[in-house]
Amino acid sequence: MVMPHLRGMMITDEKVTCFVPAVYSDQSKKEGKKKTGMLSALQLKTGLRKGEETYLATLVEIKPDTTVEVPDEVADLLKEFADVMPPELPKSLPPQRATDHKIESEPDNKDGLVNRLCKDKKFTETIDILCEQKRLREAIQTLDLVDRPSTAIYSKLIQLCIQQKALEEGKRVHTHIKSSGFVPRAFISNRLLDMYCKCESLIDAQKVFDEMNERDSCSWNIMISGYMKAGQIEEAHKLFDAMPERDNFSWTAMISGFVRHDRPKEALGLYRIMQRHENLKCNKFTVSSALAASTAIQCLHLGKEIHGHIMRTGLDSDAVVWSALSDMYGKCGSIYEARHIFDKTLDRDVVSWTAMIGRYFEDGKRDEGFVLFSDLLRSGIRPNEFTFAGVLNACADQTAEDLGKQVHGYMTRAGFDPFSFAASALVHMYSKCGNIENAKRVFNGMPQLDLVSWTSLITGCAQHGRPDEALQFFELLLNSGTQPDHITFVGVLSACSHAGLVDRGLEYFHSIKEKHGLEHTAEHYACLIDLLGRSGRFEEAEDIINNMPMKPDKFLWASLLGGCRIHRNFKLAQRAAEALFDIEPENPATYVTLANIYATVGMWREVAEIRKTMDDRRVVKKPGVSWIEIKRKVHVFLVGDTSHPKSKEIHEFLEKLSKRMKEEGYVPDTEFVLHDVEEEQKEQNLSHHSEKLAVAFGVIATPPGTLIKVFKNLRTCVDCHTAIKFVSKIVGRKIVIRDSNRFHFFENGNCSCKDYW
């Protein structure tokens, strides 16, 4: 082929050297490197000048002002890459740096520059600038003015379509390629494949793939990866099986795809087959996916096998692999192995720290998690919003408000982003720890409220016996334009349930689907049955249960059973209990609640039968546990506990308190005491309940006027609820009890729940 004129010549005294720069602008840097690789495939000489950013590819050497015959393959390459070169090249060495050719595109002159280039009919350069400025549509319009566009022009346009997920514009470029007579090679065809796959148009991608005369491994891999990401696993598998020669990317795409779509066993099966191929070597992404598959099926020994392979193949120096190993050990129940991996990891970043801290919390090792968080703070690495959110959620779960306040203080001093979801975690933490006022302060100080913040506060107000505030916040949420989700409505329905607002609750329930376009969930139905059960509207509750679109779950039946306990509906209680026995026969709460209902009317034979059933099924009643934190130390009490160092003082104080309470009008409620014993013994049993012990200790261990905050693992009983109202009045203290359902705020003989819980 004769090339009468070659753009991009370096002119010296003796000769002209034609070259292709690998780097022209920051945007085309990666593309340039790929092009250099294509040139070297033709065994062309390449070199890099020290300190320069331009690769030189010496193609041909000719004398000035002459025409030269060059091989077709070289001429094609020169034509393809002509437009990535500077419009004019210097007439002296060294070559200019890529940054020297960068066209200024300030807002004041960018349009003027484009207009001048168009006026000079430099349409290729115009497209370059428009692509740099992300002006895709204008760049495509200019494409029609270019005579025989090059590979690089099409490549840039397609790449911009990929970045902007612009499917229609990508189709226009593809149509132009067809109509212009340009015959795309594998490089451009692969770009089109990538564009269609990333724009989720697999039908078009498959059409391009089928029409390709020349396919390379990249073509196959793009299609396999595209189908996998779209969840079309069988199509991906067919291509994988038909692939002439698979590489590491192909295997990894299949293995990671199986993991991503919850098919870990198939992922591991493919991983084993890959290992048998001597010419294939697993990379860090392959083994990380295999470890994720082992984690998904909770198979520690398989994870250890992969760990051994990692050590033998030298992949143990990679941070990604170490992170996957630590995750596998942590989620497979070997937390100490996970910590061992973490300690051996070099250059630990905040992600590694956050993951390890989270694993401790997930494993129930609260203290270790908090200690590691302290180590992170001392390491000099700044925690991110995920770290703070994880620690604050752990504080919420453990009701560790003091620690949560310390974390809040650190966040404030460090200048955390108030727009981040860590602020929402603060609202959640304070709500769960019984400090709704602090939760509201954080909420009111947030510059931008998200749905999590709204939901946390609505649910918090509901659980703190402030249903009116909860519903006011919900109305404010709607007025703000924020769309509630199903979790928000759980908080709203709970607020109605705790306040006995049956009709309003029904209205909110129906609005979920009719007004907000959401589907009712099992949780919504459980809240609705709780609402109706508490108010004694059992016929409506049964009608809803019989006609609901999904099978009632354990939470719904437990809500119904709780309503039956309040209103002593024995018949319906038996139906609810039988359903619960089928769903979770090992849960002692069902047996105890049903026995309580029988005990209220002295049906001791039925109570005895339930106890025998529990013994036969080896169901053990969960002991009531209450705890109180004083001076950063947690004190735990069991029913009838005498193990506490202050046990003698606690029981003596309770005795004096009991006499004073009876003088004030307190009458022990022995209805729900399960033992068929004398009334005096029943009263004695009630006086030793764990929350009473914890409250008594709180009174004698703190100065007068100090707020007492007690947490309990079970629902507080009626007698304890009544007794603590009297205690709050006699000792002049505010007392907070958080049981398994909600918060109770006692003050001056009253409770925030208004005796409706």
Side-chain angles (χ1 to χ4, degrees), residues 269-538:
L270 208 57
Y271 173 72
R272 290 188 181 282
I273 295 171
M274 181 184 180
Q275 283 183 302
R276 290 199 288 268
H277 285 257
E278 293 181 2
N279 60 332
L280 286 173
K281 189 176 180 181
C282 293
N283 58 30
K284 63 182 180 181
F285 302 108
T286 319
V287 295
S288 296
S289 296
L291 286 168
S294 301
T295 304
I297 62 174
Q298 297 281 292
C299 187
L300 184 60
H301 86 269
L302 272 177
K304 286 185 174 182
E305 275 185 34
I306 298 167
H307 188 181
H309 174 74
I310 289 167
M311 300 299 288
R312 290 191 299 273
T313 53
L315 288 168
D316 55 317
S317 61
D318 188 88
V320 173
V321 174
W322 280 115
S323 178
L325 274 170
S326 182
D327 190 58
M328 182 275 295
Y329 279 117
K331 290 180 179 175
C332 288
S334 187
I335 192 73
Y336 295 109
E337 287 282 355
R339 179 59 187 270
H340 176 70
I341 296 294
F342 173 79
D343 289 338
K344 286 182 67 178
T345 303
L346 300 174
D347 301 323
R348 293 190 294 259
D349 58 10
V350 67
V351 177
S352 306
W353 283 93
T354 302
M356 190 66 229
I357 292 166
R359 287 183 198 109
Y360 274 130
F361 291 141
E362 288 168 11
D363 206 48
K365 293 180 167 49
R366 163 194 163 181
D367 293 341
E368 289 91 335
F370 290 138
V371 168
L372 191 59
F373 176 65
S374 299
D375 292 342
L376 168 61
L377 298 183
R378 287 191 292 270
S379 73
I381 295 174
R382 182 187 172 94
N384 62 19
E385 57 185 336
F386 296 96
T387 321
F388 287 130
V391 173
L392 288 169
N393 286 334
C395 292
D397 292 339
Q398 300 293 329
T399 61
E401 185 184 356
D402 285 346
L403 188 56
K405 283 181 177 178
Q406 291 178 48
V407 175
H408 186 184
Y410 176 87
M411 290 167 64
T412 303
R413 291 191 300 274
F416 82 102
D417 181 4
F419 288 92
S420 73
F421 56 82
S424 302
L426 274 171
V427 176
H428 175 68
M429 184 274 293
Y430 281 122
S431 295
K432 291 276 281 184
C433 290
N435 195 334
I436 196 66
E437 293 304 324
N438 268 7
K440 286 164 68 175
R441 284 191 195 98
V442 174
F443 179 86
N444 291 330
M446 293 174 65
Q448 185 173 327
L449 299 168
D450 60 11
L451 182 58
V452 176
S453 309
W454 284 105
T455 301
S456 295
L457 195 61
I458 290 166
T459 305
C461 288
Q463 291 183 336
H464 285 74
R466 300 184 179 188
D468 293 337
E469 282 187 61
L471 298 180
Q472 285 173 10
F473 278 117
F474 179 66
E475 294 301 327
L476 288 172
L477 177 152
L478 296 179
N479 293 336
S480 74
T482 305
Q483 175 65 31
D485 64 6
H486 73 281
I487 300 173
T488 314
F489 278 105
V490 170
V492 171
L493 293 172
S494 295
C496 294
S497 182
H498 289 311
L501 302 173
V502 182
D503 292 334
R504 197 167 177 186
L506 285 166
E507 184 181 325
Y508 281 127
F509 177 83
H510 293 304
S511 76
I512 292 172
K513 192 168 186 176
E514 294 170 4
K515 187 175 179 181
H516 299 283
L518 301 171
E519 292 298 322
H520 288 121
T521 68
E523 287 177 293
H524 296 152
Y525 278 100
C527 289
L528 185 60
I529 297 304
D530 184 54
L531 175 67
L532 295 170
R534 286 173 186 271
S535 60
R537 292 165 66 164
F538 293 112

Side-chain angles (χ1 to χ4, degrees), residues 204 240 268 342 365 416 462 555 740:
D204 289 308
F240 180 76
L268 288 168
F342 173 79
K365 293 180 167 49
F416 82 102
F555 300 106
S740 59

Side-chain angles (χ1 to χ4, degrees), residues 35 110 125 159 231 251 297 434 659 683 726:
K35 290 160 191 166
K110 65 180 182 180
E125 290 85 345
Q159 184 61 29
W251 289 89
I297 62 174
K659 290 178 183 177
E683 290 185 22
F726 278 92

Side-chain angles (χ1 to χ4, degrees), residues 520-530 540-561 572 575-584:
H520 288 121
T521 68
E523 287 177 293
H524 296 152
Y525 278 100
C527 289
L528 185 60
I529 297 304
D530 184 54
E540 291 174 70
E542 280 195 279
D543 186 57
I544 288 170
I545 291 170
N546 293 334
N547 294 289
M548 59 189 287
M550 74 276 291
K551 187 176 180 181
D553 63 10
K554 61 182 181 181
F555 300 106
L556 183 146
W557 290 116
S559 297
L560 183 62
L561 187 60
L572 196 54
R575 179 188 173 187
E578 289 299 327
L580 286 167
F581 291 150
D582 289 338
I583 296 170
E584 46 175 7

Side-chain angles (χ1 to χ4, degrees), residues 44-245:
L44 300 170
K45 209 162 50 173
T46 62
L48 178 65
R49 284 181 174 256
K50 188 174 181 180
E52 296 294 327
E53 294 180 33
T54 305
Y55 284 96
L56 299 181
T58 304
L59 303 177
V60 291
E61 294 180 354
I62 58 176
K63 292 179 181 180
D65 303 319
T66 61
T67 298
V68 67
E69 184 85 20
V70 297
D72 287 352
E73 55 191 347
V74 174
D76 288 343
L77 280 169
L78 287 171
K79 285 194 297 181
E80 287 179 7
F81 301 120
D83 70 311
V84 300
M85 302 173 65
E88 294 180 6
L89 294 172
K91 296 189 176 181
S92 61
L93 292 172
Q96 290 184 319
R97 297 174 64 89
T99 51
D100 294 336
H101 296 291
K102 188 174 181 181
I103 299 172
E104 295 296 328
S105 56
E106 295 298 324
D108 294 340
N109 63 10
K110 65 180 182 180
D111 289 330
L113 178 59
V114 168
N115 291 336
R116 283 198 304 274
L117 289 171
C118 288
K119 186 177 179 181
D120 295 339
K121 297 186 178 181
K122 295 182 178 180
F123 301 118
T124 297
E125 290 85 345
T126 302
I127 292 173
D128 283 343
I129 293 171
L130 291 172
C131 286
E132 286 179 14
Q133 296 173 355
K134 312 298 183 188
R135 295 160 69 178
L136 177 58
R137 291 187 179 180
E138 293 168 80
I140 293 174
Q141 288 171 356
T142 309
L143 182 62
D144 292 329
L145 303 174
V146 179
D147 183 31
R148 300 184 67 185
S150 67
T151 295
I153 283 291
Y154 283 131
S155 175
K156 284 182 182 179
L157 288 169
I158 297 168
Q159 184 61 29
L160 190 54
C161 291
I162 292 170
Q163 291 171 2
Q164 297 185 5
K165 296 288 178 67
L167 177 60
E168 292 308 314
E169 286 77 7
K171 285 184 175 181
R172 284 180 61 188
V173 176
H174 189 188
T175 301
H176 193 281
I177 290 172
K178 290 179 178 178
S179 62
S180 67
F182 179 87
V183 180
R185 294 186 175 186
F187 176 72
I188 285 296
S189 295
N190 288 342
R191 276 290 169 93
L192 287 169
L193 288 177
D194 195 33
M195 183 270 294
Y196 281 126
C197 286
K198 286 179 177 170
C199 291
E200 300 177 2
S201 182
L202 288 171
I203 293 174
D204 289 308
Q206 186 65 55
K207 196 178 295 182
V208 173
F209 183 80
D210 292 339
E211 292 171 355
M212 288 175 69
N213 294 322
E214 177 190 348
R215 298 174 187 149
D216 56 17
S217 60
C218 186
S219 316
W220 292 88
N221 289 335
I222 290 170
M223 290 302 298
I224 290 169
S225 180
Y227 275 121
M228 269 297 187
K229 286 177 182 175
Q232 297 186 35
I233 299 173
E234 303 312 320
E235 290 298 323
H237 213 313
K238 285 178 187 175
L239 283 170
F240 180 76
D241 290 339
M243 195 172 180
E245 188 175 346

